[in-house]
C-alpha cells in the first residue's frame, strides 16, 4: 500500500460530523415486536408476496419473490406470524406494500439455511446464491447485486472496486464494518471477483478513516490481486463515477455504465453481506445503521433487522432528544427526508439522521450572484447555474443541451451556493421531465 | 410532535451566503480605507461615507419603486458604494460620490435586474461616466497630507501621478516617487488605489475566505507585468514592470473590480481569459493610449465579453463523448 492518495476534480468539504459514532462498536439491536418488510426495496417492480396473513414464518424464510430479472427476493427478518400485508409508509417511496410479521422471539431458523464455502462453489452457484439471498447495494440505492454481476458477454470486466469511501457526513456504518469485520469484506470481494472472473480488486477508503485503511490493508496482505486505495476525503468521493476515476483513471462515458469501462463497483457493506450469506447461509435480513444527529440521545451504530420501524431504532438509542426538526434516511447530502418515524428500515438504509432545529437550515433563495462556486464544485463539471436557470423557466431542451442528464444529483452545487439557489432540486425536476419525454418519443416510434 | 420538515436533499449547506461574502469584501476594503483617511484626511472618510450611504439608499428606493423586495441587508450596495469611493480622487466635491453611487446602483445595477444581472461592474461603469461628465473633478489630484513625514518623501512626490511619469507624459523618470511610497500609498491617486499594502492585505483575506480565487487577479497582473516589461519606453524589455504593478489602480482593479461576480466569467478557464484580456488592454492603454491609466476601461471591456467567454469555455464534462461542440 503506497502513501499516494487518489481523488477527482471538484467536490465539496462539508463538516464530517462523524465524531459521535465513528469510535462506537456496532451493537446488535434486539428484534422488535413487529417488523414491516416492504415488498419493494428499490426501483423496479415490487415482489410478489409468498405468504398470507396467519402464516407462520421462520427466520430467513423467503416471503417475497421478484417478478423480473431486475429484482431481489425479500426474507423474514424474524420468526413469527404474518399479521397482515398492507400499505405502510416507505422511506424511499412514500408508501409501499409490506409484510407485517409479529415476532415470536424464538428466531427459529428456516431449514434452507446451511453454511457453504466460497472455494467449493462455482461462479454460477455463487451468483445464484447472491440472488437467492436477496443481496442488494447496501450503499443506499439498493440495486440488486446479481444484476450488476451479470454483465453482457461483450463487456470485458477487469476491475472490481469495493466502495468504502463513506463520504456522506454523519455516516459511520461502513467505517465500523471495515474496522470490526474486515474478513467478511475481503471474502465478499473474493466472491465477487470469482463470479466475474476478475483478477484485480481494490478496496477504496477515504483517508479520514486511517484505522479502517490499516485493518483492511492487513486483511488483504495475503490476497493476490487485491489492493487498498486511499482516497482524498471529500464529497462525493464515493459516487460511482468519481470513485472509478480516482481508482482507475477511467471515465465512464456520458450515458454509460461502469461496465462500459470494465469496472464493477460494490459497496463494502454489500461485499460483507455476500460473505455472510455464503458462510452462514442466512439471507440479507439485517444491516448496520448509523443512528445519529443532534436529536438522538445516544448516537450509535446498530445492527438492525430489516423492517424495524425508525421509531423503535431511535428508542434503542435512548430516544429523541428534544423536538426533532428533520428525520433523514441516509446521509445529509443525498438522503431522503421522512415525514414520519413509522417508516421501516430497508436494505438500503445506511443511516437514520435526526436533526434538531439548530442543525437544519431552511434555505432562503436569493438571486444568483454568478460567483461560479457551483461550477467549481460540480464533480461532473457541469454548469449548474445555467441548467437550473433554464429548468426553472421550463426550458428543458436547453437544460438537456447543457448535459442535465449527466447530473449525478450529488447536491454539491446546492450545498455550496451562497445564494441558496435550488440547483440540484430543479435539475432533478428537469431530469424527470427529460426522461419522461425520451420515453414517450421512444414508444411513439 | 410538530410535523417534520420534508424537503429534498441536500439537507446541509456551506456557511457561505451572499451577505457573508459581501460583508467579507467590505472587511477586506477596510485597511485601504483606513490608509486613505490617514494619508488624505477626514475628507476621505466623508467621501466614502457619502458614497456608501447614497448606494444603499438608492438601492432601497429603487427596489421600493420597482415593488421588489428590498435587499440592502445583503451588503452588496455597500460594496459598490465603497468601491466607487475608492475610485475617486480625494479632491472631488462632496456631491460627486452621491451622484456616482446613485448612477452605479440605479443605472448599472438595478436597471438590468439587480444583483447578479448587471453585465458591468457598477462602480467602474459609474467611474467611467463621472470621468466623461466631470473630467476636471475626476483628474484633480492632491498631495497626501503626510508628505512632510520625511524629507525624502517630500522630494519624491511630484505633481504628476507616477503612471503619467512612466509614460513620459509629464516629468521625467527621475521624478518618480520611490517604490516604497507608491506601495505604502503615500502618493497621488484615487482614494483607495494608492496603498497597495493595504489592498493586498485585504486580498489575502479574500483569497483565504475563498471569496475570490487566484485566476483573474494573478493572470491580470502577470500579463501587465510581462507586457509592460516587454514594451518598455526605451525599446523591448526595458519597461519598469514593478512600477506598473504597484502604480495606479492595478491592484485594486485586479483583486476587487475584475473579480466582481456578476460581470466576470463563471468558468475557471474563462476567468483566466478574463484576466489575460484585462492585462493586455491595460498594458496597451498604459503604453500607447491617450490616458495614463487603463485598468477601468480594460475591465469594462472584458465585462462586456464575459457572457461570450462563458459560452466558449464550458468545461468538458466528465465522460463526455465529444461528437458535437
Ligand atoms: S453557486 Fe449559486 S450564486 Fe454562485 S454561480 Fe452558482 S447558482 Fe449562482
Ligand atoms: S449539477 Fe448535479 S452533479 Fe453537478 S454538483 Fe449539482 S447535483 Fe452534483
Amino acid at each position: 500500500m503506497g502513501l499516494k492518495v487518489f481523488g477527482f476534480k471538484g467536490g465539496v468539504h462539508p463538516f464530517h460530523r462523524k465524531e459521535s459514532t465513528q469510535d462506537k462498536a456496532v451493537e446488535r439491536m434486539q428484534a422488535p415486536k413487529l417488523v414491516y418488510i416492504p415488498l419493494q426495496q428499490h426501483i423496479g417492480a415490487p415482489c410478489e408476496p409468498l405468504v398470507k396473513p396467519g402464516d407462520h414464518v421462520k427466520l430467513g424464510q423467503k416471503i417475497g419473490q421478484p417478478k423480473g430479472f431486475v429484482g431481489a427476493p425479500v426474507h423474514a427478518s424474524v420468526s413469527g406470524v404474518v399479521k397482515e400485508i398492507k400499505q405502510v409508509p416507505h422511506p424511499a417511496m412514500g408508501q409501499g406494500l409490506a409484510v407485517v410479521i409479529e415476532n415470536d422471539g424464538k428466531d427459529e431458523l428456516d431449514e434452507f439455511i446451511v453454511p457453504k464455502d466460497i472455494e467449493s462453489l462455482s461462479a454460477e452457484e455463487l451468483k445464484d446464491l447472491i440472488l437467492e439471498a436477496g443481496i442488494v447495494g447496501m450503499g443506499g440505492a439498493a440495486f440488486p447485486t446479481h444484476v450488476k454481476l451479470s454483465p453482457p458477454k461483450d463487456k470485458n470486466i477487469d476491475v472490481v472496486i469495493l466502495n468504502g469511501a463513506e463520504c456522506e457526513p454523519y455516516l459511520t456504518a461502513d467505517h465500523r464494518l471495515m474496522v470490526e469485520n474486515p474478513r467478511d469484506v475481503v471474502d465478499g470481494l473474493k466472491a465477487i471477483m470469482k463470479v466475474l472472473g476478475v483478477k484485480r480488486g481494490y478496496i477504496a477508503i477515504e483517508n479520514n478513516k486511517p484505522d479502517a485503511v490499516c485493518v483492511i490493508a492487513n486483511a488483504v496482505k495475503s490476497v493476490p490481486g487485491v489492493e487498498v486505495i486511499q482516497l482524498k476525503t471529500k464529497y462525493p468521493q464515493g459516487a460511482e463515477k468519481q470513485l472509478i476515476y480516482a481508482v482507475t483513471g477511467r471515465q465512464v462515458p456520458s450515458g454509460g455504465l461502469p461496465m462500459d469501462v470494465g469496472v464493477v463497483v460494490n459497496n463494502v457493506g454489500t461485499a460483507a453481506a455476500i460473505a455472510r450469506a455464503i458462510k452462514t447461509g442466512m439471507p440479507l435480513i439485517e444491516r448496520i445503521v448509523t443512528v445519529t444527529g443532534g436529536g438522538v440521545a445516544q448516537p450509535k451504530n446498530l445492527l438492525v433487522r430489516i423492517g424495524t420501524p425508525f421509531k423503535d431504532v431511535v428508542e434503542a438509542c435512548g430516544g429523541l432528544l428534544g423536538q426533532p426538526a428533520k428525520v433523514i434516511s441516509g446521509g445529509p447530502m443525498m438522503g431522503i427526508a421522512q415525514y414520519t418515524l413509522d417508516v421501516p428500515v430497508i436494505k438500503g438504509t445506511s443511516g437514520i439522521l435526526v436533526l434538531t432545529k439548530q442543525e437544519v437550515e431552511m434555505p432562503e433563495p436569493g438571486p444568483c450572484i454568478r460567483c461560479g462556486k457551483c461550477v467549481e464544485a460540480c464533480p461532473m463539471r457541469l454548469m449548474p447555474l445555467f441548467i437550473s436557470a433554464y429548468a426553472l423557466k421550463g426550458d428543458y431542451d436547453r437544460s438537456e443541451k447543457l448535459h442535465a442528464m449527466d447530473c449525478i444529483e450529488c447536491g454539491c452545487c446546492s450545498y455550496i451556493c451562497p445564494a441558496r439557489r435550488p440547483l440540484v432540486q430543479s435539475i432533478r425536476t428537469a431530469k424527470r421531465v427529460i426522461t419522461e419525454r425520451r420515453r414517450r418519443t421512444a414508444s411513439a416510434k | 410532535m410538530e410535523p417534520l420538515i420534508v424537503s429534498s436533499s441536500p439537507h446541509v449547506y456551506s456557511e457561505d451566503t451572499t451577505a457573508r461574502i459581501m460583508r467579507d469584501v467590505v472587511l477586506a476594503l477596510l485597511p485601504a480605507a483606513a490608509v486613505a483617511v490617514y494619508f488624505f484626511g477626514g475628507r476621505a472618510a466623508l467621501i466614502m461615507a457619502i458614497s456608501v450611504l447614497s448606494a444603499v439608499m438608492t438601492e432601497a428606493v429603487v427596489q421600493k419603486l420597482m415593488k421588489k423586495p428590498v435587499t440592502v441587508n445583503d451588503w452588496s450596495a455597500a460594496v459598490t458604494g465603497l468601491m466607487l469611493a475608492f475610485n475617486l480622487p480625494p479632491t472631488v466635491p462632496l456631491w460627486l460620490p452621491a451622484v456616482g453611487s446613485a448612477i452605479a446602483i440605479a443605472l448599472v445595477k438595478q436597471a438590468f435586474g439587480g444583483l447578479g444581472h448587471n453585465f458591468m461592474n457598477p462602480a467602474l461603469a459609474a467611474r467611467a461616466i463621472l470621468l466623461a461628465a466631470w473630467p476636471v473633478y475626476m483628474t484633480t489630484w492632491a498631495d497626501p497630507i503626510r508628505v512632510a513625514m520625511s524629507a525624502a518623501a517630500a522630494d519624491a512626490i511630484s505633481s504628476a501621478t507616477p503612471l503619467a511619469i512612466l509614460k513620459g507624459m509629464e516629468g521625467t523618470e527621475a521624478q518618480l516617487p520611490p517604490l516604497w511610497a507608491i506601495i505604502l500609498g503615500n502618493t497621488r491617486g484615487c482614494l483607495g488605489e494608492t496603498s497597495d499594502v493595504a489592498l493586498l492585505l485585504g486580498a489575502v483575506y479574500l483569497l483565504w475566505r475563498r471569496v475570490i480565487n487566484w485566476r483573474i487577479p494573478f493572470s491580470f497582473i502577470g500579463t501587465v507585468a510581462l507586457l509592460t516589461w516587454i514594451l518598455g519606453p526605451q525599446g523591448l524589455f526595458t519597461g519598469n514592470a514593478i512600477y506598473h504593478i504597484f502604480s495606479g489602480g492595478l491592484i485594486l482593479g485586479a483583486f476587487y473590480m475584475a473579480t466582481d461576480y456578476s460581470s466576470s466569467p463563471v468558468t475557471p478557464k474563462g476567468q483566466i481569459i478574463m484576466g489575460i484580456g484585462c492585462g493586455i488592454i491595460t498594458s496597451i492603454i498604459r503604453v500607447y493610449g491617450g490616458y495614463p491609466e487603463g485598468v477601468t476601461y480594460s475591465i469594462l471591456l472584458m465585462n462586456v465579453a464575459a457572457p461570450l467567454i462563458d459560452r466558449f469555455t464550458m468545461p468538458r464534462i466528465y465522460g463526455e463523448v465529444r461528437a458535437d461542440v
Side-chain angles (χ1 to χ4, degrees):
Chain A
M1 182 187 61
L3 285 172
K4 197 159 160 35
V5 179
F6 299 84
F8 65 99
K9 248 191 173 166
V12 293
H13 296 93
F15 282 111
H16 299 167
R17 301 257 158 82
K18 295 181 191 260
E19 304 74 26
S20 44
T21 53
Q22 67 186 10
D23 298 320
K24 287 194 186 149
V26 176
E27 289 174 39
R28 176 177 285 278
M29 179 189 161
Q30 211 192 353
K33 237 13 285 120
L34 288 169
V35 290
Y36 302 76
I37 303 174
L39 286 160
Q40 185 168 18
Q41 302 269 337
H42 45 80
I43 45 163
C47 286
E48 229 28 283
L50 299 175
V51 291
K52 52 186 188 317
D55 283 0
H56 181 82
V57 292
K58 294 180 179 168
L59 180 63
Q61 181 181 334
K62 199 202 285 186
I63 56 172
Q65 178 67 25
K67 278 184 288 194
F69 176 65
V70 185
V74 289
H75 302 81
S77 58
V78 294
S79 63
V81 177
V82 176
K83 279 196 59 179
E84 49 188 334
I85 297 176
K86 63 165 186 180
Q87 291 286 332
V88 301
H90 189 290
M93 282 154 217
Q95 285 273 316
L97 206 59
V99 177
V100 186
I101 306 172
E102 189 167 33
N103 184 4
D104 63 11
K106 292 185 194 142
D107 277 351
E108 195 185 335
L109 271 195
D110 191 61
E111 46 282 354
F112 287 104
I113 291 166
V114 275
K116 298 224 169 72
D117 171 37
I118 299 179
E119 311 301 331
S120 62
L121 292 170
S122 73
E124 259 332 287
E125 286 167 329
L126 276 173
K127 194 158 56 169
D128 285 343
L129 191 151
I130 289 168
L131 164 62
E132 277 309 310
I135 308 283
V136 300
M138 308 281 279
F143 190 75
T145 301
H146 68 96
V147 180
K148 267 193 177 180
L149 300 187
S150 312
K153 286 269 166 309
D154 60 318
K155 304 285 181 211
N156 187 13
I157 309 295
D158 65 341
V159 173
V160 172
I161 302 172
L162 285 196
N163 185 353
E166 202 164 51
C167 56
E168 276 267 13
Y170 288 98
L171 302 187
T172 55
D174 291 346
H175 182 180
R176 290 314 305 175
L177 169 72
M178 289 187 282
V179 171
E180 295 174 36
N181 214 342
R183 218 30 304 141
D184 278 354
V185 174
V186 176
D187 287 345
L189 176 58
K190 280 200 244 170
I192 295 168
M193 289 166 67
K194 185 164 179 184
V195 171
L196 292 165
V198 166
K199 298 271 166 293
R200 240 179 343 138
Y202 297 102
I203 303 178
I205 307 170
E206 276 192 347
N207 62 359
N208 65 346
K209 301 180 250 300
D211 49 347
V213 173
C214 211
V215 171
I216 296 283
N218 252 326
V220 299
K221 249 192 210 134
S222 55
V223 188
V226 176
E227 231 180 285
V228 172
I229 298 274
Q230 286 198 66
L231 302 168
K232 265 187 211 148
T233 300
K234 72 171 160 178
Y235 179 86
Q237 186 64 78
E240 216 165 48
K241 292 179 174 179
Q242 280 59 40
L243 186 70
I244 291 171
Y245 179 75
V247 175
T248 66
R250 302 175 193 173
Q251 293 192 18
V252 180
S254 170
L257 292 170
M259 59 175 70
D260 294 329
V261 289
V263 182
V264 166
V265 180
N266 279 284
N267 186 264
V268 285
T270 314
I274 291 173
R276 258 179 324 245
I278 299 166
K279 291 193 265 191
T280 65
M282 182 64 81
L284 179 50
I285 53 139
E286 57 188 5
R287 69 155 298 143
I288 305 174
V289 180
T290 302
V291 192
T292 185
V296 176
Q298 299 148 18
K300 282 180 186 176
N301 299 295
L302 281 183
L303 187 60
V304 181
R305 304 282 175 105
I306 303 298
T308 307
F310 276 25
K311 65 172 181 303
D312 294 357
V313 181
V314 172
E315 241 7 89
C317 296
L320 292 171
L321 204 62
Q323 177 72 38
K326 213 175 204 182
V327 173
I328 296 159
S329 166
M333 294 299 289
M334 289 186 82
I336 302 171
Q338 304 296 319
Y339 59 92
T340 167
L341 278 165
D342 291 334
V343 291
V345 168
I346 58 174
K347 293 175 183 177
T349 310
S350 48
I352 298 175
L353 228 61
V354 183
L355 302 181
T356 58
K357 255 213 183 73
Q358 290 77 45
E359 286 170 289
V360 175
E361 182 195 321
M362 286 311 285
E364 285 170 29
C368 166
I369 56 173
R370 287 182 44 97
C371 64
K373 285 178 192 281
C374 56
V375 178
E376 217 167 343
C378 178
M380 297 302 291
R381 300 197 288 278
L382 309 181
M383 307 262 272
L385 75 162
F386 296 136
I387 304 178
S388 157
Y390 288 129
L392 289 173
K393 273 191 246 161
D395 190 347
Y396 299 114
D397 290 336
R398 302 279 277 276
S399 300
E400 189 176 2
K401 273 212 191 79
L402 291 172
H403 310 283
M405 294 309 284
D406 286 280
C407 167
I408 58 170
E409 300 181 28
C410 64
C412 287
C413 48
S414 294
Y415 169 84
I416 203 83
C417 177
R420 298 293 186 261
R421 305 291 311 148
L423 298 170
V424 64
Q425 294 88 334
S426 58
I427 297 172
R428 228 180 253 138
T429 310
K431 284 178 70 180
R432 254 206 308 276
V433 174
I434 296 165
T435 312
E436 179 60 23
R437 277 188 194 167
R438 284 185 182 176
R439 206 181 49 78
R440 249 185 287 144
T441 41
S443 62
K445 268 181 201 155
Chain B
M1 198 165 95
E2 267 177 54
L4 294 168
I5 301 168
V6 180
S7 59
S8 56
S9 63
H11 306 287
V12 286
Y13 294 91
S14 71
E15 291 172 353
D16 264 343
T17 61
T18 302
R20 191 173 113 139
I21 287 175
M22 297 300 164
R23 205 174 47 221
D24 269 348
V25 176
V26 172
L27 280 179
L29 290 172
L30 285 184
V35 173
V37 175
Y38 179 78
F39 282 129
F40 297 114
R43 195 176 174 83
L46 213 55
I47 292 172
M48 289 187 275
I50 291 173
S51 188
V52 169
L53 216 67
S54 162
V56 172
M57 271 165 43
T58 309
E59 174 127 307
V61 169
V62 171
Q63 286 180 327
K64 267 257 154 59
L65 288 179
M66 292 169 88
K67 302 213 163 39
K68 289 206 282 188
V70 175
T71 56
V72 291
N73 56 358
D74 71 9
W75 289 74
S76 67
V79 168
T80 300
L82 198 52
M83 293 268 198
L84 177 71
F86 271 36
N87 278 294
L88 298 176
T91 54
V92 290
L94 292 179
W95 55 264
L96 202 80
V99 172
S101 277
I103 292 175
I105 297 291
L107 219 62
V108 190
K109 184 177 173 191
Q110 288 300 339
F112 288 97
L115 185 62
H117 293 283
N118 49 287
F119 67 98
M120 280 191 189
N121 181 325
L124 279 188
R127 179 198 200 184
I129 293 171
L130 295 181
L131 196 59
W134 294 284
V136 178
Y137 291 140
M138 292 296 288
T139 52
T140 306
W141 312 104
D143 287 328
I145 53 174
R146 310 264 160 186
V147 172
M149 241 179 7
S150 74
D155 260 349
I157 294 156
S158 66
S159 57
T161 62
L163 273 179
I165 300 172
L166 272 180
K167 197 164 189 158
M169 278 166 58
E170 301 165 36
T172 62
E173 283 233 25
Q175 281 172 290
L176 267 182
L179 194 58
W180 62 261
I182 293 183
I183 292 178
L184 278 179
N186 198 4
T187 173
R188 310 186 137 208
C190 293
L191 278 188
E193 285 184 342
T194 55
S195 177
D196 295 315
V197 178
L199 288 173
L200 287 173
L201 200 72
V204 169
Y205 176 73
L206 290 183
L207 285 167
W208 171 63
R209 297 278 282 184
R210 290 169 185 266
V211 171
I212 60 173
N213 64 55
W214 61 270
R215 293 189 196 94
I216 292 176
F218 283 55
S219 55
F220 191 168
I221 295 170
T223 306
V224 170
L226 195 70
L227 288 182
T228 51
W229 172 58
I230 295 178
L231 307 172
Q234 269 90 52
L236 289 186
F237 308 108
T238 62
N240 199 335
I242 303 288
Y243 267 84
H244 269 289
I245 291 176
F246 291 108
S247 305
L250 184 57
I251 299 291
L252 179 67
F255 283 100
Y256 298 88
M257 305 282 181
T259 53
D260 173 50
Y261 290 151
S262 315
S263 51
S264 64
V266 292
T267 65
K269 230 191 264 163
Q271 291 170 351
I272 293 178
I273 294 178
M274 163 99 183
I276 294 176
C278 286
I280 293 175
I281 300 172
T282 299
S283 308
I284 290 179
I285 296 179
R286 279 190 180 182
V287 176
Y288 301 113
Y291 289 106
E293 177 56 305
V295 171
T296 302
Y297 291 107
S298 74
I299 295 174
L300 288 175
L301 277 172
M302 292 309 287
N303 283 167
V304 178
L308 210 65
I309 297 176
D310 267 342
R311 188 121 50 88
F312 288 105
T313 53
M314 296 235 175
R316 187 189 183 124
I317 76 162
Y318 175 107
E320 184 168 8
V321 209
R322 271 269 156 125
D324 59 331
V325 169

